[in-house]
Amino acid sequence: METAARTAPAAVIVAIDGPAGTGKSSTSKAVAAKLGLGYLDTGAQYRAITWWMVANGIDVEDAVAVADAAGKPAIVSGTHPANPTITVDGTDVSGPIRTQEVTSRVSAVSAVPEVRTVITELQRTIAAEAPRGIVVEGRDIGTTVLPDADLKIFLTASPEVRAARRSGELKGKEAGDLAATQAALAKRDALDSGRKTSPLAKADDAVEVDTSELTLDQVIECVVTLVEEKRTVA
């Protein structure tokens, strides 16, 4: 797919992919803020449609039922990095989509091709309409959603580091112990990497950044430098 022409000379579309716990969200939001770009958390959109399915009594294990309902919810994503809002049918779901109930079901919903078609088109539209460019984070941005992105980055980290980070993000009873969190991440990785439609994968032309031994500030600086270099070349 050809990415639509952007309106400003400095506009740049940055795709940041990688599994959970690698620092995608924190890095993407900070880079977007530093460079005056929009920001889109595509995972939040899949969480939003999953939340809608659960709230409306759709059996998320029934792929046919999920496919039939995929086009019904109206998902609107704000792209300001300091306040990336998300609503479903006008309801703010930024909190509800982060519950364990949604987390445990999002892989099943996002694996349904009809769901990915709906969400992918939404993501492409948002990216194309970003006036100064945008940082888009997810799991298939550089490979499927925006294959013509100006810069593709794939963040990685060791399983142990990812589990520690994710445990720190979860609240109260949802945090569990590190072993359980690591097992949950491994299961999610297997589901995301093994699905037939748009699996989690590193694009051939993506720059891989291992964040295991880096502070968040170091990762942010690395990505900012890569974006600035791309802008200079362009």
Side-chain angles (χ1 to χ4, degrees):
M1 163 190 164
E2 290 295 328
T3 302
R6 273 86 74 192
T7 58
V12 61
I13 290 182
V14 182
I16 299 184
D17 289 310
T22 55
K24 289 196 310 296
S25 295
S26 298
T27 298
S28 299
K29 283 187 279 192
V31 170
K34 281 178 174 288
L35 297 176
L37 304 175
Y39 161 75
L40 179 62
D41 174 2
T42 63
Q45 295 176 318
Y46 283 105
R47 285 175 172 271
I49 197 168
T50 300
W51 173 87
W52 184 91
M53 296 285 176
V54 173
N56 284 274
I58 306 297
D59 180 1
V60 300
E61 299 299 329
D62 184 343
V64 174
V66 171
D68 288 343
K72 294 181 179 180
I75 299 171
V76 177
S77 297
T79 58
H80 194 294
N83 184 33
T85 58
I86 186 162
T87 64
V88 179
D89 297 335
T91 298
D92 178 3
V93 295
S94 55
I97 65 173
R98 301 296 173 183
T99 63
Q100 184 59 34
E101 182 178 29
V102 171
T103 298
S104 64
R105 292 169 170 78
V106 67
S107 286
V109 173
S110 62
V112 176
E114 289 82 358
V115 169
R116 301 205 73 83
T117 295
V118 168
I119 300 298
T120 294
E121 288 307 312
L122 175 61
Q123 293 163 358
R124 287 173 175 166
T125 298
I126 293 171
E129 293 177 350
R132 289 204 60 206
I134 192 167
V135 178
V136 184
E137 62 139 315
R139 287 170 168 76
D140 66 340
I141 311 306
T143 54
T144 301
V145 180
L146 300 169
D148 297 323
D150 299 296
L151 175 65
K152 303 174 187 178
I153 295 170
F154 192 85
L155 298 184
T156 64
S158 70
E160 295 78 14
V161 168
R162 291 172 55 210
R165 289 173 179 168
R166 180 45 58 94
S167 291
E169 293 171 2
L170 298 176
K171 307 296 183 182
K173 294 180 180 179
E174 292 184 11
D177 58 32
L178 279 177
T181 301
Q182 189 168 330
L185 287 175
K187 180 179 179 181
R188 177 72 190 271
D189 288 350
L191 289 170
D192 289 346
S193 300
R195 66 178 177 235
K196 294 181 179 180
T197 304
S198 301
L200 164 67
K202 174 188 171 185
D204 291 339
D205 54 347
V207 178
E208 183 170 327
V209 178
D210 189 332
T211 69
S212 300
E213 303 298 326
L214 301 177
T215 65
L216 177 58
D217 286 343
Q218 289 173 325
V219 178
I220 293 167
E221 186 57 36
C222 174
V223 175
V224 166
T225 299
L226 289 169
V227 176
E228 291 178 333
E229 289 175 350
K230 178 60 67 173
R231 278 176 158 174
T232 300
V233 172

